[in-house]
Amino acid sequence: MTNNAVDRPAEAGPSGREMWQRRYEQALAQGRVRDADFSTLSGTEVDPVYGPSPEVEAVDDRMPRIGWPGQYPFTRGLYSTGYRGRAWTIRQFAGFGNARQTNERYQMILARGGGGLSVAFDMPTLMGRDSDEPESLGEVGHCGVAVDSAADMELLFHDIPLGDVTTSMTISGPAVPVFCMYLVAAERQGVDPTSLNGTLQTDIFKEYIAQKEWLFPPEPHLRLIGDLMEYTSSTIPDYKPLSVSGYHIREAGSTAAQELAFTLADGFGYVELGLSRGLDVNRFAPGLSFFFDSHLDFFEEIAKFRAARRIWARWMRDVYGATDERAMWLRFHTQTAGVSLTAQQPLNNVVRTAVEALAAVLGGTNSLHTNALDETLALPSEQSAEVALRTQQVLREETGVANVADPLGGSWYVEALTDRLEEEAERIFDTIRAMGERGRTPDAAGEVHHEIGPMTSGILRGIEDGWFQGEIAEAAFQYQTALEKGEKKIVGVNCHTESVSHELEILRVSHEVERDQVRELGQRRQQRDAEAAQRALARMVEVARTEENLIPAMLDAVRAEATLGEICGALKAEWGDYKEPARF
């Protein structure tokens, strides 16, 4: 390894490089560095990280913002080892048809090198409805897997040991009852639920802002999220109950800066929720994770990820009082941009996805999903899903990008973009907090009090006023206008439209899936102890009327094979529904 050490005054503390060196050597001694070939294709050994010499570091005023891998403010990554310690998790998002069909796809993903699972649910499940409800007609199994009860969750993970495989579940409105079904499925496998490791999306703010899949007004949703945070913090220490999602905000049309700012603001809101429950920030904050989009502007996306880590670390330390380093870490999953895929010349989508995946990796993502080339047309076929998986494996095994931590760190362009995105995000934070102050009267000491916290108040006001939706709509309009004028280009759409490619053979979900799912659901209702299910549901509603944690009562309802629609319907009857305010 290159030795850039210089003589330093005896009274001076260690340089950032020297502190990084100590941590890296400690990781090496503890066996936390992979036994792998860390050389170029030509055989040149490369260092684990590159940066300025100590004498240059001492006078470069950028260094407090840039830092070194594994050091505050974590711009260059959370770990001193980078991907030499552990490569990013290949976590392919999958779900279609019924639980048996999706289980087969999961088995394929794991057998071919996938490191974790990510569950896509169908629209009825995302909306907390059973497959046999009238509103579910024609939607069962089409955009994800249908899950009506704990029995479906058992089938979904049949022969997949939940104690060994980390699982992410992309669902927010009915996230808590679905989480309870996951715990019960683990119990029925004989797995100790306290040992589970995975992620539940749960992020209801982004539903009101972008995706529109909510069940109740904001306050009951926040109550459920607070209960979940309390429950997992005390009983399932490795499980992450919240994945704060910017992906859907970006897919709705936001800019990179808006995705960054709206997502982190939502994260700050959930930190305030935890603090309002009396939870220790150093204990619950490590259970928060993030989910970002990786779009096509290569360097802007890399800068976005680096800025996100830095902003989160600073706010967690300086605003919310975190003292444990892990509570300052922003860990995130990335998915390549679905909105960038085109139905025209769909083979080009392989190239787009590879570029987006590379940006995510160079930005330091902790796990990654790569979209399949045919997802703009239908659910991925088995072949296209394999190509998407292989895209990550080519990046990891053949390109050398995992050899050096933050290889673009110190680039004038990347650092300037990182700074610019951070500044834009901070301006948006100021706007959101100001919205939360509007109409509130300070007390005698000049303090304004918020039920949960100032950022949460601003988010709720922004949702109520339609501010977030308006900002995203304006950004989407500006981009669409640029496309129509030809100022922005999409190959195969508004330029280079000639092609020799043919139509793809796509995956189609048979109508029999819905018929079979509805029949099985009816059989389960007949076979269960109906009185026990109704008693458990009634008990759950009783608890909902108190300040008691709702998770244990909901778990009992799931164990009695109460369905998702029954659980969500009982709570809707108690808490009401939510209608988005009209905005023109």
Side-chain angles (χ1 to χ4, degrees), residues 242-297:
L242 261 165
S243 177
V244 189
S245 177
Y247 185 84
H248 307 91
I249 292 170
R250 190 66 179 279
E251 293 286 290
S254 79
T255 65
Q258 288 171 334
E259 177 196 359
L260 174 64
F262 295 173
T263 307
L264 294 186
D266 290 350
F268 299 145
Y270 295 124
V271 171
E272 292 175 351
L273 177 62
L275 292 172
S276 75
R277 292 291 191 104
L279 299 178
D280 179 355
V281 68
N282 289 316
R283 182 162 183 172
F284 77 79
L288 302 178
S289 65
F290 289 79
F291 174 24
F292 287 111
D293 197 300
S294 188
H295 219 298
L296 271 169
D297 194 313

Side-chain angles (χ1 to χ4, degrees), residues 245-525:
S245 177
Y247 185 84
H248 307 91
I249 292 170
R250 190 66 179 279
E251 293 286 290
S254 79
T255 65
Q258 288 171 334
E259 177 196 359
L260 174 64
F262 295 173
T263 307
L264 294 186
D266 290 350
F268 299 145
Y270 295 124
V271 171
E272 292 175 351
L273 177 62
L275 292 172
S276 75
R277 292 291 191 104
L279 299 178
D280 179 355
V281 68
N282 289 316
R283 182 162 183 172
F284 77 79
L288 302 178
S289 65
F290 289 79
F291 174 24
F292 287 111
D293 197 300
S294 188
H295 219 298
L296 271 169
D297 194 313
F298 185 70
F299 291 104
E300 184 174 60
E301 294 304 293
I302 295 167
K304 179 187 73 182
F305 300 132
R306 299 171 84 252
R309 277 193 298 269
R310 185 159 79 203
I311 294 167
W312 183 256
R314 187 180 67 253
W315 274 67
M316 292 304 295
R317 185 189 71 175
D318 298 346
V319 177
Y320 297 115
T323 55
D324 189 318
E325 199 171 75
R326 289 172 57 84
M328 304 175 204
W329 286 357
L330 182 141
R331 286 172 290 198
F332 67 97
H333 172 73
T334 308
Q335 181 173 342
T336 55
V339 74
S340 73
L341 305 180
T342 64
Q344 301 92 328
Q345 301 179 23
L347 293 177
N348 296 342
N349 294 332
V350 177
V351 181
R352 294 185 177 102
T353 295
V355 170
E356 293 162 354
L358 181 58
V361 170
L362 291 174
T365 191
N366 301 104
S367 64
L368 178 61
H369 165 86
T370 34
N371 290 326
L373 66 96
D374 52 0
E375 285 190 58
T376 191
L377 299 166
L379 291 165
S381 67
E382 187 170 5
Q383 182 180 35
S384 68
E386 181 179 88
V387 171
L389 174 64
R390 294 291 187 244
T391 299
Q392 293 201 50
Q393 291 168 332
V394 168
L395 286 177
R396 191 170 68 181
E397 306 296 347
E398 299 183 30
T399 65
V401 294
N403 290 348
V404 177
D406 190 35
L408 294 180
S411 156
W412 290 333
Y413 182 38
V414 170
E415 297 301 349
L417 280 175
T418 304
D419 291 346
R420 190 205 71 198
L421 284 166
E422 182 178 18
E423 291 165 3
E424 289 187 42
E426 289 291 343
R427 285 195 291 271
I428 294 172
F429 297 152
D430 290 342
T431 300
I432 295 172
R433 287 170 67 101
M435 286 192 292
E437 301 294 320
R438 199 162 65 238
R440 293 178 178 270
T441 305
D443 62 15
E447 298 289 331
V448 174
H449 296 281
H450 303 268
E451 291 79 3
I452 296 176
M455 189 65 81
T456 307
S457 293
I459 293 167
L460 292 174
R461 174 57 66 88
I463 291 168
E464 180 181 338
D465 292 350
W467 180 81
F468 291 102
Q469 299 92 316
E471 292 292 296
I472 294 171
E474 179 62 24
F477 174 76
Q478 293 294 336
Y479 178 67
Q480 184 62 32
T481 300
L483 279 179
E484 292 176 6
K485 290 180 178 179
E487 296 167 355
K488 297 291 185 184
K489 307 290 186 185
I490 299 178
V491 172
V493 177
N494 66 351
C495 66
H496 309 296
T497 54
E498 66 285 349
S499 177
V500 297
S501 61
H502 304 288
E503 287 189 8
L504 296 175
E505 183 177 336
I506 61 175
L507 175 67
R508 300 187 187 278
V509 176
S510 167
H511 70 279
E512 294 177 358
V513 167
E514 181 168 324
R515 185 194 63 195
D516 293 346
Q517 183 72 18
V518 169
R519 185 185 68 249
E520 287 194 23
L521 177 58
Q523 290 172 350
R524 288 176 201 157
R525 285 203 182 100

Side-chain angles (χ1 to χ4, degrees), residues 52-66 410 412:
S53 63
E55 66 268 34
V56 173
E57 179 183 358
V59 297
D60 188 340
D61 61 4
R62 303 180 306 164
M63 286 310 293
R65 301 192 306 277
I66 299 173
W412 290 333

Side-chain angles (χ1 to χ4, degrees), residues 124-125 127-133 136 147-150 174 177 181 215-216 521-522 524-526 528-541 554 556-574:
T125 306
M127 299 305 297
R129 296 190 180 279
D130 287 335
S131 295
D132 59 358
E133 293 186 40
S136 301
V147 172
D148 290 309
S149 72
M181 292 176 187
L215 306 186
F216 321 114
L521 177 58
R524 288 176 201 157
R525 285 203 182 100
Q526 290 178 348
R528 72 183 180 182
D529 184 334
E531 289 186 6
Q534 290 304 314
R535 284 196 305 270
L537 287 167
R539 170 60 184 155
M540 182 190 71
V541 172
M554 192 175 290
D556 287 340
V558 169
R559 291 184 184 109
E561 210 61 34
T563 68
L564 181 65
E566 290 168 343
I567 292 169
C568 296
L571 292 176
K572 273 187 180 181
E574 184 66 25

